Amino acid sequence: MINPKETTPRPDTPTARDHGLEEVRLRQQAIGVKLRHMFDQVVNEPVPDEFLDILRRADERSSTKEGQ
């Protein structure tokens, strides 16, 4: 005869589903860490001089139009 206590998983015993969820959480955490690292690198890159010149000219044009 089957003992029902043996077929019911104990609450303190991790199941395969729990292991799968933990693996997913760890992957998501690793992706988040890498994304934050990449974002920090991009934010800390210097702005190219050509781009700054474009912004400066755009500011000059908008201030000239406002002054008219």
Side-chain angles (χ1 to χ4, degrees):
M1 186 171 228
I2 297 175
N3 185 351
K5 290 182 182 178
E6 292 176 8
T7 59
T8 306
R10 293 183 4 206
D12 61 340
T13 306
T15 63
R17 180 173 181 258
D18 293 337
H19 287 297
L21 289 175
E22 183 64 22
E23 187 176 326
V24 168
R25 285 188 197 107
L26 289 174
R27 284 184 188 163
Q28 288 176 341
Q29 185 178 17
I31 290 170
V33 167
K34 288 185 180 193
L35 284 173
R36 280 190 288 279
H37 179 71
M38 288 174 56
F39 179 79
D40 288 342
Q41 285 180 325
V42 170
V43 167
N44 291 321
E45 287 182 7
V47 177
D49 290 336
E50 293 173 356
F51 188 70
L52 291 173
D53 289 338
I54 292 169
L55 292 174
R56 215 173 284 120
R57 283 182 282 178
D59 283 343
E60 288 171 1
R61 286 182 187 167
S62 64
S63 65
T64 304
K65 287 182 182 178
E66 288 176 6
Q68 290 180 355

